[in-house]
Amino acid sequence: MRLVLVGPPGAGKGTQAGFIAERFSIPQISTGDIFRANVSGGTKLGKLAKSFMDAGDLVPDAVTIAMVRDRLDEPDTAAGFLLDGFPRNVAQAYELDSVLGDLGASLDVVLELEVDNDEVVRRLSGRRMCRKCGHIWHIEYDPTQSGGRCDLCGGELFQRDDDQADTVRHRLDVYAEQTAPLIQFYDGRGQLVVVDALGPVEDVTERAIAALTKAIS
Ligand code: AMP
């Protein structure tokens, strides 16, 4: 299965991507995670991406596309993959077609996680990430037992720079202007499946897996 996950920041893409990838035994490729790993590792790519990420802007297409092309060239993607956070605009969607065309492949389905803006702001501003293992907690929806430490590994929790209220609002504008048009783009191609992303995580996963199973059968 070759799958793309779209939805506003805070729709739960990362969380759902993990469960869906596991269920269909395909690698989860999250461009945000790859960028963040490069920022932490102090690589050239990380240095280039950091200012865009901190501002809540998109990293330039040429950089992002080259990174995705390299990742999709790796052998573990032969049986399929789940792209989480890419494409983020229509130009990237056309580039994805071209990368897949070169590999003799095409997309099977695009899953949209649908959630309203108020909920997005609530989710993102309460989100805390573990500095050590990357696990995501939420001060209201999924708090740790141990306050400012991760229950899984004891690591320190922090708020991503791009989860601060002002940046969240800017990321939502960027989503509406640049990423939301993808929904019509893929719908027009008959590849779009929409799932309501409100409610308990397990319920959303169940709805997503049912919708995907139906879409590929
Ligand atoms: P995410 O974790 O998906 O919200 O991504 C975090 C940040 O990484 C975004 O706000 C962008 O700055 C950058 N990023 C991730 N994916 C892309 C992409 N496909 N194109 C451009 N920038 C991206």
Side-chain angles (χ1 to χ4, degrees):
M1 151 128 73
R2 295 185 192 84
L3 165 66
V4 162
L5 211 54
V6 287
K13 289 195 300 297
T15 308
Q16 295 302 336
F19 291 128
I20 294 167
E22 193 184 334
R23 166 67 179 75
F24 292 101
S25 305
I26 48 177
Q28 171 190 353
I29 302 175
S30 158
T31 43
D33 285 350
I34 303 177
F35 280 132
R36 275 185 291 279
N38 277 277
V39 171
S40 312
T43 68
K44 201 171 138 198
L45 176 63
K47 286 186 182 123
L48 201 157
K50 188 173 186 324
S51 57
F52 296 99
M53 295 174 74
D54 287 350
D57 286 322
L58 295 187
V59 177
D61 284 350
V63 176
T64 308
I65 289 157
M67 182 178 91
V68 170
R69 187 178 278 277
D70 283 352
R71 181 62 187 88
L72 289 178
D73 243 354
E74 287 179 28
D76 66 334
T77 63
F81 54 78
L82 184 163
L83 278 171
D84 155 27
F86 183 93
R88 251 336 204 265
N89 58 32
V90 173
Q92 292 184 3
Y94 281 120
E95 286 293 339
L96 178 61
D97 286 343
S98 142
V99 174
L100 292 178
D102 292 346
L103 296 168
S106 59
L107 271 187
D108 293 311
V109 52
V110 175
L111 179 73
E112 181 197 355
L113 294 179
E114 201 178 40
V115 57
D116 62 78
N117 273 8
D118 288 349
E119 177 65 10
V120 161
V121 172
R122 237 190 329 271
R123 286 185 185 184
L124 290 184
S125 52
R127 190 155 83 161
R128 298 291 180 272
M129 201 180 221
C130 172
R131 218 177 268 292
K132 207 161 139 198
C133 72
H135 188 85
I136 292 168
W137 301 93
H138 193 282
I139 52 172
E140 190 185 334
Y141 299 143
D142 190 15
T144 59
Q145 302 289 312
S146 43
R149 298 257 153 208
C150 176
D151 283 350
L152 298 178
C153 75
E156 182 200 359
L157 300 188
F158 74 106
Q159 185 176 33
R160 280 169 42 175
D161 285 343
D162 59 354
D163 281 348
Q164 314 278 346
D166 282 356
T167 316
V168 165
R169 273 190 288 276
H170 181 59
R171 287 166 71 200
L172 285 172
D173 289 344
V174 170
Y175 180 80
E177 280 162 28
Q178 304 196 42
T179 309
L182 278 179
I183 289 165
Q184 268 170 344
F185 175 86
Y186 284 122
D187 196 23
R189 288 184 171 187
Q191 288 176 313
L192 188 74
V193 168
V194 185
V195 161
D196 177 5
L198 280 181
V201 171
E202 317 76 73
D203 294 0
V204 179
T205 309
E206 215 170 281
R207 285 197 286 274
I209 287 174
L212 290 170
T213 306
K214 190 169 162 219
I216 58 169
S217 61

